[in-house]
Amino acid sequence: MLKKNFTYLYIFLFLTLSLKVAQAQNQGTTRTIQIVQADRLQAAGAIQRLIDNVIMNHQGTIIHCDSAYFYEKENKAKLFGHVKIDNPKDTVTSTSRYADYDGNTQLAKIRDNVVFKKSSTTLYTDFLDYNRRTGIADYFNSGKVVDSTNVLTSQTGRYETQIEKITFRDNVILVNPEYTLKSNTLFYYTEPKTAETEGLTNILSTQGDELNAQKGSFYDTQNKLFRFYEGDVENETSRVIGKELFYDENKKYYEANEDVSIFNKERNIEVFGDFGKYWEEEKYSEVYGNALVQKYFESDTLFMTADTLISKDSELVEERRMLAFPNTRLIKGELSGRADSTVYIYSDSTIYLYGDPLLWNNKSQISADSIHFLIANEDIDRAFLKDNAFAITSDTIANFNQIKGREMTGFFAEGEMTKLDVEGNGESLYFALENDTTLQGVNTLLCGKIIMHFEKGNVSSINHTINPEASFIPPHMLKEENTKLEGFVWRIEEKPSMEMINAWRTPKSKDENRKNLFNEPNIRIPFPDEDEIQIIINEWLEKESNKQEKP
């Protein structure tokens, strides 16, 4: 009796377990595609044809279509008309006019007017292979992805739904309300809505701003943050270049690293350095590390170097300036100079030198506690020296003509100094020459106002006013202490040269004819579809067969 009860209990447990397995199979956990519904069913051997209102189930994925061929042994189905494949668990839904579904590999070949949707991201194409097991969908012969912010198109692509990543390749175009981006390889992450590109990338804003990268980029489409590699950003007023370039569109703020260039088109000034920052709306820039300024004129260029350069172009006239510090060096034509710091005032084209300033022009050296000079008609017009002004000019036989005073004003014509006016406590020492070769003696002069004239870089004459005290020393009575005024220092070794400027920094040359994808014709030859490929294969096989039949 006890043995019979154990037998009944065993049969009960077996039936219960079998029922649960059957229920699990009915719920779609089996590998076999299940027919849920069809208005009509026609069977021909192992093939079943399902007609009208067809519903099938495979492991929780619900398949709808108008009609289908079901190959039960192969566990495959060909789906026709209003095809819909829906899996509530992974929130992926696709619709199309045709699909070929393999229950063993879980690969769906979805064709013709395909709409593939996951959450708020929708992919449109005509040829899509979707692997349900890996969550990867590959499309070819062009596709379009649309979300709440962007529209992206390309010739081929891969949507990795499990990590929310889409890879676009060949003729990639990203469009949003403010920008259009073009590249040949782009990785788009649907959750943060960020894009990364490889290689050449070009962006054009609706306002006409151009953003370009030669070696890829990163773009946060929601927060409007850009990062470019070997990139440049250009608009009507400025151009910023850097090996690595960051741009915050909301703040209109740029950062650039390595081979930095910031070009102010309105001022025709370009600044180079190792690292730079630029605030577009304030027109304010900072450049560090072997910084170089090039101010472009029609006839020549002003070169200025320093460790740090700060430029400000304000609505207020008095705030339009450039600061260079420390260790400033500058060259413009025949004029060169050095100082600890320099200020360039844009409004009146005046340059101020502070901290042991020196200027050289041809054979002349000028020094003072502070110096500033004025540029007019794109050339040096006047130089103003204040406190302890001292000018030295070498003559044709290596003597040094000297003039000093409280203040001086130098006058220039075509880049050369023509006159030097001394105001207050004037002193001069002038070597008188015959035929520019023979020393006749030394003239010394003390006067409240002295005027020295120059021709071709040499002193041609000296005038004076206001009770001068003059003396002349002949050559045979000349001593060393009679050849120099107090404070004389000849510092020609510090005179900047273009060799020094180029050694400090040689700007990287710009390729004005670089490739831009916006200039490329938007024409692509489509890939052949599967039927066309099969026709090509059949034609080739037929030709090969005919060749073999011929003797």
Side-chain angles (χ1 to χ4, degrees), residues 350-394:
T350 301
I351 296 177
Y352 292 84
L353 306 178
Y354 299 102
D356 191 24
L358 281 171
L359 285 179
W360 291 268
N361 181 253
N362 285 324
K363 301 176 183 180
S364 298
Q365 172 185 293
I366 303 172
S367 62
D369 290 351
S370 69
I371 299 176
H372 69 275
F373 60 91
L374 175 66
I375 298 175
N377 299 319
E378 299 197 346
D379 219 334
I380 306 298
D381 183 65
R382 279 170 291 169
F384 303 90
L385 292 75
K386 186 175 181 181
D387 297 329
N388 299 312
F390 205 122
I392 305 170
T393 303
S394 63

mmCIF file of all heavy atoms in Angstrom, residues 350-394:
data_model
loop_
_atom_site.group_PDB
_atom_site.id
_atom_site.type_symbol
_atom_site.label_atom_id
_atom_site.label_comp_id
_atom_site.label_asym_id
_atom_site.label_seq_id
_atom_site.Cartn_x
_atom_site.Cartn_y
_atom_site.Cartn_z
ATOM 1 N N THR A 350 49.322 102.803 -30.713
ATOM 2 C CA THR A 350 50.492 103.194 -29.932
ATOM 3 C C THR A 350 51.002 101.991 -29.161
ATOM 4 O O THR A 350 50.210 101.235 -28.587
ATOM 5 C CB THR A 350 50.150 104.321 -28.950
ATOM 6 O OG1 THR A 350 49.656 105.445 -29.696
ATOM 7 C CG2 THR A 350 51.372 104.759 -28.172
ATOM 8 N N ILE A 351 52.333 101.811 -29.151
ATOM 9 C CA ILE A 351 52.955 100.699 -28.447
ATOM 10 C C ILE A 351 53.823 101.257 -27.315
ATOM 11 O O ILE A 351 54.688 102.104 -27.556
ATOM 12 C CB ILE A 351 53.805 99.847 -29.407
ATOM 13 C CG1 ILE A 351 52.890 99.205 -30.462
ATOM 14 C CG2 ILE A 351 54.568 98.760 -28.650
ATOM 15 C CD1 ILE A 351 53.624 98.390 -31.502
ATOM 16 N N TYR A 352 53.560 100.776 -26.088
ATOM 17 C CA TYR A 352 54.289 101.216 -24.900
ATOM 18 C C TYR A 352 55.241 100.110 -24.451
ATOM 19 O O TYR A 352 54.849 98.939 -24.371
ATOM 20 C CB TYR A 352 53.326 101.539 -23.755
ATOM 21 C CG TYR A 352 52.464 102.761 -24.007
ATOM 22 C CD1 TYR A 352 51.288 102.667 -24.746
ATOM 23 C CD2 TYR A 352 52.816 104.010 -23.493
ATOM 24 C CE1 TYR A 352 50.498 103.772 -24.990
ATOM 25 C CE2 TYR A 352 52.021 105.129 -23.708
ATOM 26 C CZ TYR A 352 50.861 105.009 -24.463
ATOM 27 O OH TYR A 352 50.074 106.123 -24.685
ATOM 28 N N LEU A 353 56.483 100.494 -24.141
ATOM 29 C CA LEU A 353 57.491 99.558 -23.639
ATOM 30 C C LEU A 353 57.828 99.920 -22.199
ATOM 31 O O LEU A 353 58.129 101.087 -21.899
ATOM 32 C CB LEU A 353 58.754 99.617 -24.496
ATOM 33 C CG LEU A 353 58.584 99.423 -26.013
ATOM 34 C CD1 LEU A 353 59.917 99.566 -26.711
ATOM 35 C CD2 LEU A 353 57.959 98.073 -26.325
ATOM 36 N N TYR A 354 57.788 98.911 -21.300
ATOM 37 C CA TYR A 354 58.080 99.142 -19.884
ATOM 38 C C TYR A 354 59.139 98.143 -19.410
ATOM 39 O O TYR A 354 59.199 97.015 -19.886
ATOM 40 C CB TYR A 354 56.823 98.957 -19.033
ATOM 41 C CG TYR A 354 55.688 99.901 -19.378
ATOM 42 C CD1 TYR A 354 54.614 99.454 -20.145
ATOM 43 C CD2 TYR A 354 55.698 101.213 -18.941
ATOM 44 C CE1 TYR A 354 53.571 100.305 -20.463
ATOM 45 C CE2 TYR A 354 54.649 102.075 -19.248
ATOM 46 C CZ TYR A 354 53.591 101.617 -20.010
ATOM 47 O OH TYR A 354 52.558 102.473 -20.323
ATOM 48 N N GLY A 355 59.933 98.599 -18.420
ATOM 49 C CA GLY A 355 60.932 97.707 -17.834
ATOM 50 C C GLY A 355 62.165 97.584 -18.695
ATOM 51 O O GLY A 355 62.249 96.668 -19.514
ATOM 52 N N ASP A 356 63.125 98.519 -18.518
ATOM 53 C CA ASP A 356 64.374 98.513 -19.267
ATOM 54 C C ASP A 356 64.128 98.449 -20.770
ATOM 55 O O ASP A 356 64.633 97.551 -21.468
ATOM 56 C CB ASP A 356 65.242 97.338 -18.809
ATOM 57 C CG ASP A 356 66.664 97.426 -19.340
ATOM 58 O OD1 ASP A 356 67.106 98.558 -19.657
ATOM 59 O OD2 ASP A 356 67.333 96.375 -19.456
ATOM 60 N N PRO A 357 63.360 99.419 -21.323
ATOM 61 C CA PRO A 357 63.045 99.368 -22.754
ATOM 62 C C PRO A 357 64.207 99.846 -23.623
ATOM 63 O O PRO A 357 64.961 100.737 -23.243
ATOM 64 C CB PRO A 357 61.852 100.311 -22.873
ATOM 65 C CG PRO A 357 62.071 101.325 -21.783
ATOM 66 C CD PRO A 357 62.711 100.563 -20.650
ATOM 67 N N LEU A 358 64.325 99.251 -24.804
ATOM 68 C CA LEU A 358 65.332 99.625 -25.792
ATOM 69 C C LEU A 358 64.719 99.561 -27.180
ATOM 70 O O LEU A 358 63.928 98.649 -27.477
ATOM 71 C CB LEU A 358 66.534 98.678 -25.743
ATOM 72 C CG LEU A 358 67.573 98.865 -24.638
ATOM 73 C CD1 LEU A 358 68.540 97.696 -24.653
ATOM 74 C CD2 LEU A 358 68.320 100.171 -24.820
ATOM 75 N N LEU A 359 65.106 100.525 -28.052
ATOM 76 C CA LEU A 359 64.726 100.490 -29.451
ATOM 77 C C LEU A 359 65.975 100.621 -30.306
ATOM 78 O O LEU A 359 66.920 101.343 -29.948
ATOM 79 C CB LEU A 359 63.762 101.631 -29.792
ATOM 80 C CG LEU A 359 62.308 101.531 -29.326
ATOM 81 C CD1 LEU A 359 61.542 102.780 -29.738
ATOM 82 C CD2 LEU A 359 61.629 100.284 -29.877
ATOM 83 N N TRP A 360 65.964 99.921 -31.437
ATOM 84 C CA TRP A 360 67.032 100.065 -32.421
ATOM 85 C C TRP A 360 66.409 100.396 -33.770
ATOM 86 O O TRP A 360 65.370 99.847 -34.149
ATOM 87 C CB TRP A 360 67.819 98.770 -32.567
ATOM 88 C CG TRP A 360 68.646 98.398 -31.380
ATOM 89 C CD1 TRP A 360 69.953 98.724 -31.151
ATOM 90 C CD2 TRP A 360 68.240 97.603 -30.265
ATOM 91 N NE1 TRP A 360 70.391 98.194 -29.968
ATOM 92 C CE2 TRP A 360 69.351 97.501 -29.392
ATOM 93 C CE3 TRP A 360 67.043 96.988 -29.881
ATOM 94 C CZ2 TRP A 360 69.319 96.808 -28.201
ATOM 95 C CZ3 TRP A 360 66.997 96.292 -28.700
ATOM 96 C CH2 TRP A 360 68.118 96.206 -27.861
ATOM 97 N N ASN A 361 67.058 101.333 -34.476
ATOM 98 C CA ASN A 361 66.640 101.671 -35.832
ATOM 99 C C ASN A 361 67.893 101.927 -36.654
ATOM 100 O O ASN A 361 68.634 102.877 -36.375
ATOM 101 C CB ASN A 361 65.731 102.900 -35.838
ATOM 102 C CG ASN A 361 65.260 103.264 -37.234
ATOM 103 O OD1 ASN A 361 65.708 104.238 -37.821
ATOM 104 N ND2 ASN A 361 64.352 102.455 -37.786
ATOM 105 N N ASN A 362 68.119 101.054 -37.624
ATOM 106 C CA ASN A 362 69.346 101.120 -38.400
ATOM 107 C C ASN A 362 70.556 101.110 -37.469
ATOM 108 O O ASN A 362 70.755 100.164 -36.729
ATOM 109 C CB ASN A 362 69.345 102.334 -39.324
ATOM 110 C CG ASN A 362 68.440 102.118 -40.526
ATOM 111 O OD1 ASN A 362 68.346 101.017 -41.047
ATOM 112 N ND2 ASN A 362 67.776 103.178 -40.960
ATOM 113 N N LYS A 363 71.318 102.223 -37.419
ATOM 114 C CA LYS A 363 72.535 102.276 -36.610
ATOM 115 C C LYS A 363 72.313 102.896 -35.247
ATOM 116 O O LYS A 363 73.267 103.112 -34.508
ATOM 117 C CB LYS A 363 73.603 103.076 -37.362
ATOM 118 C CG LYS A 363 73.966 102.508 -38.723
ATOM 119 C CD LYS A 363 74.951 103.413 -39.439
ATOM 120 C CE LYS A 363 75.266 102.897 -40.834
ATOM 121 N NZ LYS A 363 76.238 103.792 -41.531
ATOM 122 N N SER A 364 71.041 103.192 -34.899
ATOM 123 C CA SER A 364 70.755 103.918 -33.665
ATOM 124 C C SER A 364 70.159 103.009 -32.598
ATOM 125 O O SER A 364 69.390 102.083 -32.898
ATOM 126 C CB SER A 364 69.788 105.073 -33.940
ATOM 127 O OG SER A 364 70.363 106.000 -34.833
ATOM 128 N N GLN A 365 70.540 103.321 -31.341
ATOM 129 C CA GLN A 365 69.963 102.661 -30.171
ATOM 130 C C GLN A 365 69.354 103.726 -29.275
ATOM 131 O O GLN A 365 69.986 104.740 -28.991
ATOM 132 C CB GLN A 365 71.048 101.890 -29.418
ATOM 133 C CG GLN A 365 70.586 101.320 -28.069
ATOM 134 C CD GLN A 365 71.720 100.684 -27.306
ATOM 135 O OE1 GLN A 365 72.253 99.660 -27.721
ATOM 136 N NE2 GLN A 365 72.110 101.303 -26.195
ATOM 137 N N ILE A 366 68.116 103.501 -28.830
ATOM 138 C CA ILE A 366 67.396 104.471 -28.004
ATOM 139 C C ILE A 366 66.963 103.784 -26.724
ATOM 140 O O ILE A 366 66.407 102.678 -26.755
ATOM 141 C CB ILE A 366 66.151 105.018 -28.743
ATOM 142 C CG1 ILE A 366 66.562 105.658 -30.076
ATOM 143 C CG2 ILE A 366 65.411 106.036 -27.898
ATOM 144 C CD1 ILE A 366 65.371 106.030 -30.944
ATOM 145 N N SER A 367 67.166 104.441 -25.585
ATOM 146 C CA SER A 367 66.746 103.888 -24.297
ATOM 147 C C SER A 367 66.156 104.996 -23.437
ATOM 148 O O SER A 367 66.446 106.187 -23.630
ATOM 149 C CB SER A 367 67.928 103.224 -23.582
ATOM 150 O OG SER A 367 68.936 104.180 -23.298
ATOM 151 N N ALA A 368 65.332 104.614 -22.458
ATOM 152 C CA ALA A 368 64.734 105.544 -21.493
ATOM 153 C C ALA A 368 64.044 104.709 -20.430
ATOM 154 O O ALA A 368 63.936 103.485 -20.540
ATOM 155 C CB ALA A 368 63.752 106.484 -22.179
ATOM 156 N N ASP A 369 63.550 105.391 -19.381
ATOM 157 C CA ASP A 369 62.800 104.658 -18.363
ATOM 158 C C ASP A 369 61.507 104.106 -18.944
ATOM 159 O O ASP A 369 61.060 103.020 -18.574
ATOM 160 C CB ASP A 369 62.505 105.577 -17.169
ATOM 161 C CG ASP A 369 63.759 105.904 -16.372
ATOM 162 O OD1 ASP A 369 64.806 105.291 -16.651
ATOM 163 O OD2 ASP A 369 63.688 106.769 -15.480
ATOM 164 N N SER A 370 60.887 104.864 -19.830
ATOM 165 C CA SER A 370 59.695 104.374 -20.544
ATOM 166 C C SER A 370 59.709 104.910 -21.967
ATOM 167 O O SER A 370 60.168 106.028 -22.211
ATOM 168 C CB SER A 370 58.403 104.781 -19.836
ATOM 169 O OG SER A 370 58.199 106.177 -19.920
ATOM 170 N N ILE A 371 59.247 104.074 -22.891
ATOM 171 C CA ILE A 371 59.222 104.437 -24.317
ATOM 172 C C ILE A 371 57.867 104.045 -24.887
ATOM 173 O O ILE A 371 57.338 102.983 -24.565
ATOM 174 C CB ILE A 371 60.333 103.701 -25.100
ATOM 175 C CG1 ILE A 371 61.719 104.079 -24.564
ATOM 176 C CG2 ILE A 371 60.233 104.008 -26.595
ATOM 177 C CD1 ILE A 371 62.845 103.308 -25.235
ATOM 178 N N HIS A 372 57.311 104.904 -25.706
ATOM 179 C CA HIS A 372 56.171 104.486 -26.516
ATOM 180 C C HIS A 372 56.305 105.104 -27.903
ATOM 181 O O HIS A 372 56.879 106.178 -28.073
ATOM 182 C CB HIS A 372 54.834 104.839 -25.867
ATOM 183 C CG HIS A 372 54.514 106.298 -25.814
ATOM 184 N ND1 HIS A 372 54.963 107.130 -24.807
ATOM 185 C CD2 HIS A 372 53.756 107.081 -26.634
ATOM 186 C CE1 HIS A 372 54.510 108.354 -24.987
ATOM 187 N NE2 HIS A 372 53.777 108.351 -26.100
ATOM 188 N N PHE A 373 55.818 104.364 -28.884
ATOM 189 C CA PHE A 373 55.899 104.877 -30.256
ATOM 190 C C PHE A 373 54.555 104.694 -30.956
ATOM 191 O O PHE A 373 53.755 103.810 -30.621
ATOM 192 C CB PHE A 373 57.053 104.238 -31.043
ATOM 193 C CG PHE A 373 56.988 102.758 -31.194
ATOM 194 C CD1 PHE A 373 56.359 102.174 -32.283
ATOM 195 C CD2 PHE A 373 57.597 101.924 -30.249
ATOM 196 C CE1 PHE A 373 56.321 100.808 -32.427
ATOM 197 C CE2 PHE A 373 57.570 100.550 -30.392
ATOM 198 C CZ PHE A 373 56.932 99.989 -31.480
ATOM 199 N N LEU A 374 54.340 105.561 -31.936
ATOM 200 C CA LEU A 374 53.063 105.643 -32.628
ATOM 201 C C LEU A 374 53.203 105.108 -34.045
ATOM 202 O O LEU A 374 54.164 105.445 -34.750
ATOM 203 C CB LEU A 374 52.589 107.101 -32.658
ATOM 204 C CG LEU A 374 51.315 107.423 -33.446
ATOM 205 C CD1 LEU A 374 50.111 106.766 -32.796
ATOM 206 C CD2 LEU A 374 51.114 108.943 -33.529
ATOM 207 N N ILE A 375 52.237 104.263 -34.448
ATOM 208 C CA ILE A 375 52.177 103.772 -35.819
ATOM 209 C C ILE A 375 51.082 104.540 -36.553
ATOM 210 O O ILE A 375 49.923 104.540 -36.131
ATOM 211 C CB ILE A 375 51.896 102.261 -35.861
ATOM 212 C CG1 ILE A 375 53.022 101.493 -35.171
ATOM 213 C CG2 ILE A 375 51.729 101.783 -37.303
ATOM 214 C CD1 ILE A 375 52.771 100.004 -35.070
ATOM 215 N N ALA A 376 51.448 105.204 -37.633
ATOM 216 C CA ALA A 376 50.484 105.945 -38.454
ATOM 217 C C ALA A 376 50.670 105.554 -39.910
ATOM 218 O O ALA A 376 51.805 105.424 -40.383
ATOM 219 C CB ALA A 376 50.678 107.454 -38.280
ATOM 220 N N ASN A 377 49.555 105.368 -40.612
ATOM 221 C CA ASN A 377 49.614 104.925 -42.005
ATOM 222 C C ASN A 377 50.468 103.673 -42.155
ATOM 223 O O ASN A 377 51.266 103.533 -43.085
ATOM 224 C CB ASN A 377 50.142 106.048 -42.908
ATOM 225 C CG ASN A 377 49.254 107.267 -42.877
ATOM 226 O OD1 ASN A 377 48.023 107.156 -42.882
ATOM 227 N ND2 ASN A 377 49.871 108.447 -42.836
ATOM 228 N N GLU A 378 50.286 102.755 -41.169
ATOM 229 C CA GLU A 378 50.928 101.438 -41.152
ATOM 230 C C GLU A 378 52.445 101.508 -41.040
ATOM 231 O O GLU A 378 53.142 100.543 -41.356
ATOM 232 C CB GLU A 378 50.526 100.621 -42.387
ATOM 233 C CG GLU A 378 49.029 100.357 -42.473
ATOM 234 C CD GLU A 378 48.690 99.241 -43.437
ATOM 235 O OE1 GLU A 378 49.573 98.861 -44.230
ATOM 236 O OE2 GLU A 378 47.563 98.744 -43.378
ATOM 237 N N ASP A 379 52.990 102.637 -40.575
ATOM 238 C CA ASP A 379 54.431 102.744 -40.404
ATOM 239 C C ASP A 379 54.747 103.508 -39.129
ATOM 240 O O ASP A 379 53.898 104.224 -38.588
ATOM 241 C CB ASP A 379 55.064 103.462 -41.602
ATOM 242 C CG ASP A 379 56.386 102.837 -41.995
ATOM 243 O OD1 ASP A 379 57.026 102.228 -41.111
ATOM 244 O OD2 ASP A 379 56.764 102.952 -43.168
ATOM 245 N N ILE A 380 55.989 103.357 -38.643
ATOM 246 C CA ILE A 380 56.408 104.079 -37.442
ATOM 247 C C ILE A 380 56.399 105.573 -37.746
ATOM 248 O O ILE A 380 57.025 106.030 -38.712
ATOM 249 C CB ILE A 380 57.817 103.644 -36.999
ATOM 250 C CG1 ILE A 380 57.876 102.125 -36.840
ATOM 251 C CG2 ILE A 380 58.194 104.334 -35.700
ATOM 252 C CD1 ILE A 380 56.949 101.573 -35.801
ATOM 253 N N ASP A 381 55.727 106.350 -36.890
ATOM 254 C CA ASP A 381 55.631 107.794 -37.111
ATOM 255 C C ASP A 381 56.493 108.567 -36.117
ATOM 256 O O ASP A 381 57.312 109.397 -36.497
ATOM 257 C CB ASP A 381 54.173 108.237 -36.996
ATOM 258 C CG ASP A 381 54.001 109.719 -37.282
ATOM 259 O OD1 ASP A 381 54.248 110.121 -38.430
ATOM 260 O OD2 ASP A 381 53.635 110.476 -36.347
ATOM 261 N N ARG A 382 56.314 108.291 -34.826
ATOM 262 C CA ARG A 382 57.086 108.982 -33.789
ATOM 263 C C ARG A 382 57.346 108.038 -32.622
ATOM 264 O O ARG A 382 56.554 107.140 -32.363
ATOM 265 C CB ARG A 382 56.334 110.213 -33.274
ATOM 266 C CG ARG A 382 56.451 111.443 -34.158
ATOM 267 C CD ARG A 382 55.492 112.529 -33.709
ATOM 268 N NE ARG A 382 54.107 112.152 -33.965
ATOM 269 C CZ ARG A 382 53.057 112.823 -33.481
ATOM 270 N NH1 ARG A 382 53.249 113.863 -32.690
ATOM 271 N NH2 ARG A 382 51.836 112.433 -33.780
ATOM 272 N N ALA A 383 58.463 108.315 -31.911
ATOM 273 C CA ALA A 383 58.796 107.588 -30.693
ATOM 274 C C ALA A 383 58.995 108.599 -29.572
ATOM 275 O O ALA A 383 59.662 109.627 -29.767
ATOM 276 C CB ALA A 383 60.057 106.759 -30.884
ATOM 277 N N PHE A 384 58.414 108.306 -28.401
ATOM 278 C CA PHE A 384 58.473 109.219 -27.252
ATOM 279 C C PHE A 384 59.231 108.538 -26.119
ATOM 280 O O PHE A 384 58.867 107.448 -25.680
ATOM 281 C CB PHE A 384 57.063 109.589 -26.798
ATOM 282 C CG PHE A 384 56.218 110.210 -27.883
ATOM 283 C CD1 PHE A 384 55.428 109.422 -28.708
ATOM 284 C CD2 PHE A 384 56.224 111.578 -28.083
ATOM 285 C CE1 PHE A 384 54.654 109.988 -29.707
ATOM 286 C CE2 PHE A 384 55.447 112.160 -29.080
ATOM 287 C CZ PHE A 384 54.664 111.363 -29.898
ATOM 288 N N LEU A 385 60.298 109.206 -25.647
ATOM 289 C CA LEU A 385 61.150 108.663 -24.588
ATOM 290 C C LEU A 385 61.034 109.577 -23.368
ATOM 291 O O LEU A 385 61.211 110.800 -23.475
ATOM 292 C CB LEU A 385 62.609 108.602 -25.032
ATOM 293 C CG LEU A 385 62.969 107.596 -26.144
ATOM 294 C CD1 LEU A 385 62.510 108.077 -27.512
ATOM 295 C CD2 LEU A 385 64.478 107.349 -26.167
ATOM 296 N N LYS A 386 60.751 108.983 -22.228
ATOM 297 C CA LYS A 386 60.540 109.777 -21.015
ATOM 298 C C LYS A 386 61.478 109.320 -19.913
ATOM 299 O O LYS A 386 61.565 108.133 -19.611
ATOM 300 C CB LYS A 386 59.089 109.644 -20.550
ATOM 301 C CG LYS A 386 58.744 110.548 -19.379
ATOM 302 C CD LYS A 386 57.261 110.462 -19.042
ATOM 303 C CE LYS A 386 56.920 111.386 -17.880
ATOM 304 N NZ LYS A 386 55.481 111.313 -17.513
ATOM 305 N N ASP A 387 62.182 110.323 -19.313
ATOM 306 C CA ASP A 387 63.086 110.121 -18.179
ATOM 307 C C ASP A 387 64.308 109.293 -18.584
ATOM 308 O O ASP A 387 64.197 108.159 -19.042
ATOM 309 C CB ASP A 387 62.372 109.450 -17.000
ATOM 310 C CG ASP A 387 61.241 110.317 -16.443
ATOM 311 O OD1 ASP A 387 61.356 111.555 -16.520
ATOM 312 O OD2 ASP A 387 60.251 109.730 -15.955
ATOM 313 N N ASN A 388 65.479 109.935 -18.375
ATOM 314 C CA ASN A 388 66.769 109.299 -18.662
ATOM 315 C C ASN A 388 66.863 108.800 -20.101
ATOM 316 O O ASN A 388 67.341 107.688 -20.365
ATOM 317 C CB ASN A 388 67.041 108.155 -17.691
ATOM 318 C CG ASN A 388 67.106 108.613 -16.250
ATOM 319 O OD1 ASN A 388 67.789 109.598 -15.937
ATOM 320 N ND2 ASN A 388 66.396 107.913 -15.376
ATOM 321 N N ALA A 389 66.381 109.623 -21.027
ATOM 322 C CA ALA A 389 66.439 109.258 -22.438
ATOM 323 C C ALA A 389 67.874 109.311 -22.945
ATOM 324 O O ALA A 389 68.630 110.238 -22.629
ATOM 325 C CB ALA A 389 65.551 110.187 -23.251
ATOM 326 N N PHE A 390 68.236 108.318 -23.733
ATOM 327 C CA PHE A 390 69.615 108.215 -24.224
ATOM 328 C C PHE A 390 69.572 107.603 -25.625
ATOM 329 O O PHE A 390 68.981 106.553 -25.834
ATOM 330 C CB PHE A 390 70.453 107.326 -23.298
ATOM 331 C CG PHE A 390 71.926 107.593 -23.320
ATOM 332 C CD1 PHE A 390 72.608 107.931 -22.165
ATOM 333 C CD2 PHE A 390 72.654 107.496 -24.502
ATOM 334 C CE1 PHE A 390 73.976 108.184 -22.169
ATOM 335 C CE2 PHE A 390 74.020 107.753 -24.527
ATOM 336 C CZ PHE A 390 74.680 108.091 -23.353
ATOM 337 N N ALA A 391 70.238 108.312 -26.589
ATOM 338 C CA ALA A 391 70.295 107.811 -27.956
ATOM 339 C C ALA A 391 71.746 107.681 -28.381
ATOM 340 O O ALA A 391 72.558 108.583 -28.139
ATOM 341 C CB ALA A 391 69.543 108.734 -28.898
ATOM 342 N N ILE A 392 72.073 106.565 -29.030
ATOM 343 C CA ILE A 392 73.426 106.290 -29.502
ATOM 344 C C ILE A 392 73.346 105.905 -30.970
ATOM 345 O O ILE A 392 72.500 105.092 -31.363
ATOM 346 C CB ILE A 392 74.081 105.144 -28.701
ATOM 347 C CG1 ILE A 392 74.056 105.428 -27.200
ATOM 348 C CG2 ILE A 392 75.504 104.900 -29.185
ATOM 349 C CD1 ILE A 392 74.473 104.246 -26.338
ATOM 350 N N THR A 393 74.244 106.487 -31.790
ATOM 351 C CA THR A 393 74.302 106.155 -33.207
ATOM 352 C C THR A 393 75.746 105.877 -33.595
ATOM 353 O O THR A 393 76.634 106.717 -33.349
ATOM 354 C CB THR A 393 73.747 107.290 -34.076
ATOM 355 O OG1 THR A 393 72.408 107.574 -33.684
ATOM 356 C CG2 THR A 393 73.771 106.908 -35.550
ATOM 357 N N SER A 394 76.000 104.716 -34.183
ATOM 358 C CA SER A 394 77.363 104.406 -34.640
ATOM 359 C C SER A 394 77.622 105.062 -35.990
ATOM 360 O O SER A 394 76.733 105.146 -36.836
ATOM 361 C CB SER A 394 77.560 102.887 -34.743
ATOM 362 O OG SER A 394 76.697 102.347 -35.710
#
